[in-house]
């Protein structure tokens, strides 16, 4: 079986490889961040956690890092920071720096981007106004099916409130808004430049402030028009607000594409959610995902989250290090240089789970396929998703257990509604800024903040992804792997036996009808 390699690079001849040790050149990125005071929103999210970890590990001389944290479960925000840093993602950082020293550098700021004035106290506003030099605004709801009013208040108005705050920061050098490469979906080739929003963001914000959730829900489809979800709509509105400040503030827009689990550091394969490819891996690996409406030759723009974060940091450095702001919009994307089809991803993930790291509790042997015809997919979904789910849940009820599979299938069906739009359309993203940055960086910087040539063995990468999913998400210990392998062999036999019985029955039925 020939398996693809993921190589994020411009050109083998123009871009030197990164073999060998870190060079003797000065790390200008770390030097530029030294002494800076950062304020980060969304630091508790997937990308936000990796950004915080990388900044603290690669740029240890950052003076202070403030994190906007919502009070939750009655916990003080500073206590929540310690809970966040208990994640295995931060183990390497804590070993290098020591927890006591590390927590002196980090401070929680109690607030919420959903609240008026961000829910900040006057005391915290004064601290930020007098100290902060760099802002990363990452906070957003990434649910594609989020209610429009909530998405507007968080993604769009939250960005406006952050920009209002930025105008009060006396020492501000950079305000980086973390957008998404998938926020202007009507553009099939997206360049690193501003695009017109689908509506006036100020008007949309005012309307959502005046109206109730139910009232906005009634007109959501008319408001969205051809835009398939509230996430893309509200992120494009937020971008327009940032663009309005280009002449007044040192604002930049960073557009990562679909971020996937960590490639290399600090923990290969790490993720904290089941969104995107990880969810597909788990669903297929458990045997509950057996059909997808998807063009097998199509591709998505995926980037390991550590590479995306490296790109964000280096793009920020370019604006801080240069004599003036020159890079207002930058992409952290891969499709301009490498294209891996959905078929290759599915084939590889299935092979790893079947042969290397099966999951516990597999309900059926992994199988199924992608369908290019929606009606065929719909029939298969009924036959291989819903009917088995109803049958197994009925057995569970008879045995006095809680039914689960129908609930799982509802989530899968809902997820399909989002996935199908992206899986059956193709976008390409210019990455000229990354190409320019590679030429600016010295060997030390290219080694520490990789945004070029990663020769990623996909078998190795997917094994790390599955292993981390087992440990961190499914809470399956490594000592259950041998039993999972035995169970997978049993399910293979059961799958083959059922197919033989089914096809034998069909042949017999046809024979009796014809003869």
């Amino acid at each position: 079986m020939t398996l693809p390699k993921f190589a994020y690079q411009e050109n083998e001849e123009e871009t030197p490889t990164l073999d060998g040790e870190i060079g003797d050149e000065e790390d200008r990125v770390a030097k530029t961040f030294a002494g800076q005071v950062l304020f980060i929103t969304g630091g508790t999210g997937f990308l936000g956690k990796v950004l915080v970890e990388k900044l603290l590990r690669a740029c240890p001389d950052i003076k202070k890092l403030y994190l906007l944290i919502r009070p939750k479960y009655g916990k003080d925000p500073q206590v929540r920071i310690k809970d966040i840093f208990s994640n295995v993602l931060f183990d390497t950082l804590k070993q290098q720096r020591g927890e006591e020293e590390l927590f002196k550098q980090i401070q929680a700021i109690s607030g919420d981007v959903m609240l008026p004035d961000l829910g900040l106290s006057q005391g915290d506003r004064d601290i930020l106004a007098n100290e902060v030099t760099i802002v990363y605004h990452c906070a957003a709801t990434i649910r594609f099916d989020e209610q429009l009013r909530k998405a507007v208040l968080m993604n769009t108005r939250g960005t406006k409130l952050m920009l209002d705050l930025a105008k009060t920061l006396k020492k501000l050098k950079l305000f980086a808004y973390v957008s998404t490469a998938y926020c202007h979906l009507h553009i099939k080739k997206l360049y690193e430049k501003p695009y017109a929003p689908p509506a006036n963001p100020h008007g949309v914000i005012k309307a959502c402030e005046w109206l109730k959730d139910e009232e906005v829900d009634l007109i959501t489809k008319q408001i969205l028009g051809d835009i398939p979800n509230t996430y893309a709509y509200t992120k494009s509105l937020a971008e327009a607000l940032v663009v309005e400040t280009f002449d007044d503030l040192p604002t930049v827009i960073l557009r990562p594409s679909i971020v996937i689990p960590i490639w290399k550091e600090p923990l290969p394969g790490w993720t904290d959610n089941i969104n995107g490819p990880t969810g597909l891996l788990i669903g297929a690996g458990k045997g509950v995902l057996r059909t997808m409406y998807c063009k097998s030759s199509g591709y998505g723009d995926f980037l390991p989250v550590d590479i995306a974060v490296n790109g964000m940091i280096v793009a920020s450095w370019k604006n801080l290090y240069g004599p003036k702001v020159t890079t207002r919009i930058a992409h952290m994307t891969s499709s301009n240089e490498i294209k891996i089809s959905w078929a290759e991803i599915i084939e590889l993930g299935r092979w790893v789970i079947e042969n290397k790291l099966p999951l516990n509790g597999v309900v059926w042997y992994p199988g199924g396929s992608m369908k290019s015809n929606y009606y065929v997919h719909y029939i298969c979904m009924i036959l291989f998703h819903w009917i088995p789910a109803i049958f197994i849940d009925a057995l569970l009820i008879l045995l006095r257990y809680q039914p689960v599979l129908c609930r799982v299938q509802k989530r899968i069906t809902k997820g399909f509604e989002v996935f199908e739009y992206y899986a059956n359309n193709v976008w390409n993203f210019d990455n000229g800024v990354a190409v320019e940055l590679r030429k600016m960086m010295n060997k030390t910087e290219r080694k520490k903040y990789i945004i070029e040539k990663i020769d990623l063995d996909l078998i190795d990468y997917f094994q790390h992804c599955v292993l981390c999913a087992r440990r961190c998400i499914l809470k399956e210990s490594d000592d259950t792997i041998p039993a999972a392998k035995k169970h997978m062999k049993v399910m293979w036999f059961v799958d083959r036996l059922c197919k033989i019985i089914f096809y034998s029955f069909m042949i017999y039925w046809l024979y009796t009808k014809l003869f």
Side-chain angles (χ1 to χ4, degrees), residues 352-360 463 466-468 470-471 476-489:
V352 168
I353 287 178
E354 289 175 3
N355 297 279
K356 296 290 184 179
L357 285 169
L359 305 176
N360 292 349
Q463 284 190 82
V466 174
L467 191 59
C468 276
R470 285 181 113 264
R471 293 170 176 171
E476 298 176 358
S477 61
D478 291 356
D479 58 13
T480 64
I481 293 175
K485 289 182 176 180
K486 290 179 181 178
H487 182 66
M488 184 65 80
K489 290 178 180 178

Side-chain angles (χ1 to χ4, degrees), residues 39 66-72 75-78 80-81 107-113 115 117-125 128:
F39 180 45
Y66 291 107
L67 290 177
L68 186 72
I69 303 285
R70 287 183 299 134
K72 197 174 182 182
K75 287 186 177 181
D76 179 86
Q78 196 65 30
R80 282 199 65 203
I81 282 186
Q107 184 173 326
I109 295 288
S110 180
D112 187 343
V113 295
L115 298 177
D117 298 322
L118 302 169
L120 295 173
S121 69
Q122 188 57 52
D124 285 338
R125 280 186 170 274
L128 298 175

